[in-house]
Amino acid sequence: MSKPVHSPTSPSQWSTYSALPESEREACLRACHTLTDTLYAGLDVELEIRAVSAQGLGDTVLLWNGRELMGFAVCHCGPNTEAGHNKCYVKFGAVQSGPTGGALFDRLLDGCEALAATQSMTLLEAGVSTARRQAYRKMLERGFRTDIQGVTMHRPDDPGYNRPEVYVIDDWR
């Protein structure tokens, strides 16, 4: 799915992995793993976060509530990345499930769009399964439209994190 990038009209509370002092990055990576592990046991995107940072491919948007990580999104920005020219591509994003999941997902999408705007990107791309109904609806409400439609199949017919109440963005290319 994709949408044109608009400059944020209201301040969004987010930070980036690249802005963290080196001494805080390992704790941040552990917090990211803790969050994803609650959504699907064993899910860990540490290597992607590290690769984006080390190779200068974009950044990781972080949502904090005090010292607790509430959500994050690994974003590729611009040429020579998976995003491409003038695009910000959310390779993976997730927020904590629960009653505040929808509001957190809105904040995460705000942060991704704000990151894209700061990088002078004109298009924000992100993939979501329609099985994650609440996340899919949020993206539609925010102006995202389908570019590519695909099908996933899991063995042994396990839904994985493709459940209605899970707010996850993942790679559909």
Side-chain angles (χ1 to χ4, degrees):
M1 300 179 81
S2 65
K3 71 177 291 299
V5 172
H6 301 288
S7 295
T9 56
S10 62
S12 179
Q13 298 176 340
W14 57 280
S15 61
T16 59
Y17 182 77
S18 66
L20 289 174
E22 198 66 41
S23 61
E24 295 178 20
R25 289 185 178 189
E26 289 302 318
C28 177
L29 292 171
R30 284 192 301 277
C32 290
H33 179 254
T34 298
L35 191 155
T36 56
D37 196 56
T38 64
L39 301 173
Y40 190 73
L43 179 59
D44 189 2
V45 295
E46 175 184 342
L47 294 177
E48 185 68 25
I49 295 168
R50 286 183 184 276
V52 166
S53 178
Q55 297 174 39
L57 302 175
D59 214 333
T60 300
V61 172
L62 305 168
L63 300 181
W64 298 97
N65 182 10
R67 301 204 40 84
E68 183 180 11
L69 184 70
M70 306 301 286
F72 71 96
V74 183
C75 301
H76 289 230
C77 295
N80 302 317
T81 73
E82 291 185 45
H85 186 67
N86 289 328
K87 295 178 187 175
C88 177
Y89 180 61
V90 183
K91 180 81 170 176
F92 182 88
V95 298
Q96 287 183 349
S97 288
T100 62
L104 289 170
F105 195 64
D106 279 331
R107 281 183 54 206
L108 186 66
L109 292 172
D110 285 345
C112 293
E113 189 163 6
L115 174 68
T118 64
Q119 300 292 314
S120 301
M121 301 293 115
T122 58
L123 194 68
L124 179 61
E125 292 184 322
V128 67
S129 170
T130 58
R132 290 178 238 133
R133 286 189 295 276
Q134 293 169 355
Y136 176 69
R137 286 184 185 134
K138 282 271 185 198
M139 291 179 71
L140 287 174
E141 289 167 8
R142 297 177 65 93
F144 281 88
R145 295 297 175 251
T146 301
D147 294 323
I148 300 169
Q149 192 168 2
V151 175
T152 62
M153 299 185 319
H154 301 271
R155 282 190 218 170
D157 202 20
D158 176 12
Y161 51 80
N162 290 323
R163 301 183 311 272
E165 73 284 2
V166 175
Y167 290 91
V168 168
I169 297 168
D170 55 358
D171 191 353
W172 276 75
R173 300 194 279 171

